[in-house]
């Protein structure tokens, strides 16, 4: 099937845009500016582990339509601080008000992202992004980095209040790209949302296991740990 591919769709967060790195840098900066460790004797590393796990869980629930965008924004900082018995609304409100703005000051991409985008575009593929991220931040992450120079269309599930792996999100991306499903590949770091979701509607999936974790295995699905490995596929 891959010989028929004309369109390659990418997930954005932790596939092209280094969300984990940029988030940690931003949180550390806010944490230090507010002198949280000095005031509450809570080390950033402990705070970050708790925040990271909670945020990952909330986004997983968001993909399943079990929580809303508002729930994520309300709970990820508040509940993390409350876990450490820091009941200070000013602190968690400050994190909430500033995190999404300040994270754009850290625009690191996943290693080799630009190189592989340039390679694929040179090969004649039409490149696209389909993300579960919030619309405004998704657009900023693309427009304020070199990603904008390579992609043709950008789709956020929030446009239709759906999240991958919902087929409607992939269908919207295909529609905006004027792409046929059997001529389209999808590359992402989430096995369920990106890989199985795109496979179910007939796209050619590639799993980007950038964390090099234990993962599901399938003879039908290519698995890469480095974006440059896409050169062996396309």
């Amino acid at each position: 099937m891959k010989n028929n591919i004309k369109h390659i769709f990418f997930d954005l967060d932790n596939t092209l845009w280094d969300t984990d790195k940029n988030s940690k840098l931003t949180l550390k900066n806010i944490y230090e500016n507010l002198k949280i460790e000095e005031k509450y004797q809570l080390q950033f590393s402990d705070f970050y582990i708790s925040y990271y796990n909670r945020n990952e869980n909330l986004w997983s629930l968001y993909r399943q339509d079990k929580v809303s965008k508002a729930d994520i924004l309300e709970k990820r900082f508040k509940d993390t601080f409350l876990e450490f018995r820091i009941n200070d609304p000013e602190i968690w409100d400050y994190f909430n008000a500033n995190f999404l703005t300040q994270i754009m000051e850290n625009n690191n991409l996943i290693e080799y992202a630009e190189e592989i985008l340039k390679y694929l575009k040179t090969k004649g593929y039409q490149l696209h992004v389909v993300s579960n991220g919030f619309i405004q931040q998704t657009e900023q992450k693309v427009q304020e980095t070199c990603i904008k120079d390579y992609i043709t269309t950008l789709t956020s599930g929030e446009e239709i209040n759906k999240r991958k792996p919902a087929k409607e999100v992939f269908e919207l991306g295909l529609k905006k790209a004027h792409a046929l499903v059997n001529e389209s590949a999808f590359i992402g770091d989430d096995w369920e949302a990106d890989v199985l979701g795109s496979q179910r509607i007939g796209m050619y999936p590639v799993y980007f296991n950038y964390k090099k974790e234990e993962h599901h295995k399938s003879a039908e699905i290519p698995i890469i740990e480095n974006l440059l490995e896409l050169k062996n596929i396309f």
Side-chain angles (χ1 to χ4, degrees):
M1 176 182 172
K2 67 180 181 180
N3 294 329
N4 300 325
I5 299 300
K6 297 179 181 178
H7 298 265
I8 300 178
F9 293 79
F10 285 88
D11 174 49
L12 182 61
D13 290 299
N14 287 329
T15 299
L16 294 176
W17 202 80
D18 198 336
T19 307
D20 285 352
K21 180 177 182 178
N22 295 329
S23 295
K24 189 171 185 179
L25 289 170
T26 304
L27 290 171
K28 193 171 193 301
N29 184 59
I30 297 175
Y31 200 86
E32 291 175 349
N33 287 343
L34 293 179
K35 303 185 186 309
I36 304 296
E37 187 168 340
E38 296 174 25
K39 291 179 182 177
Y40 296 103
Q41 289 73 56
L42 174 62
Q43 293 186 351
F44 175 75
S45 58
D46 294 329
F47 163 83
Y48 180 74
I49 290 170
S50 175
Y51 164 83
Y52 181 86
N53 292 332
R54 179 170 286 102
N55 190 56
E56 288 287 293
N57 181 59
L58 284 168
W59 275 95
S60 176
L61 295 173
Y62 182 66
R63 289 191 292 271
Q64 301 170 57
D65 290 325
K66 293 182 178 179
V67 300
S68 66
K69 174 181 177 179
D71 291 328
I72 294 176
L73 296 177
E74 176 189 356
K75 294 175 177 293
R76 59 182 175 183
F77 294 118
K78 177 182 177 180
D79 289 0
T80 299
F81 281 110
L82 287 177
E83 178 184 333
F84 294 102
R85 299 182 181 179
I86 299 176
N87 190 354
D88 190 336
E90 286 189 15
I91 289 179
W92 64 63
D93 286 347
Y94 185 89
F95 269 83
N96 234 352
N98 290 274
F99 175 67
L100 290 178
T101 301
Q102 292 189 26
I103 196 172
M104 300 312 303
E105 298 171 10
N106 295 300
N107 259 329
N108 297 287
L109 300 184
I110 293 290
E111 188 176 22
Y112 305 121
E114 182 172 14
E115 183 175 341
I116 198 63
L117 290 173
K118 183 177 181 180
Y119 167 83
L120 293 170
K121 188 170 184 178
T122 301
K123 294 273 287 186
Y125 294 103
Q126 293 290 310
L127 308 179
H128 314 274
V129 164
V130 175
S131 173
N132 276 343
F134 305 143
I135 295 172
Q136 181 180 350
Q137 284 71 38
T138 297
E139 290 178 346
Q140 280 185 279
K141 290 172 184 178
V142 170
Q143 293 302 319
E144 296 182 14
T145 63
C146 66
I147 297 173
K148 68 180 183 299
D149 300 325
Y150 300 98
I151 69 164
T152 304
T153 65
L154 171 62
T155 300
S156 167
E158 193 181 14
E159 296 174 47
I160 54 172
N161 195 31
K162 294 282 186 179
R163 266 69 61 187
K164 296 174 294 178
K167 66 177 183 177
E168 292 88 350
V169 180
F170 296 101
E171 290 170 346
L172 178 61
L174 289 165
K175 181 179 179 180
K176 291 172 73 170
H178 302 289
L180 298 176
V181 67
N182 63 345
E183 296 179 346
S184 301
F186 197 97
I187 299 151
D189 69 295
D190 189 289
W191 181 261
E192 175 64 32
D194 297 322
V195 177
L196 299 185
S198 62
Q199 185 186 45
R200 288 188 192 109
I201 70 161
M203 301 175 83
Y204 179 78
V206 178
Y207 178 44
F208 178 38
N209 183 27
Y210 87 104
K211 292 182 180 179
K212 300 178 176 59
E213 297 176 332
E214 288 295 319
H215 53 73
H216 303 275
K217 294 182 179 180
S218 170
E220 301 175 358
I221 299 173
I223 298 172
I224 63 171
E225 296 182 352
N226 181 309
L227 288 177
L228 290 182
E229 293 177 61
L230 290 173
K231 291 184 178 182
N232 299 325
I233 301 173
F234 300 105

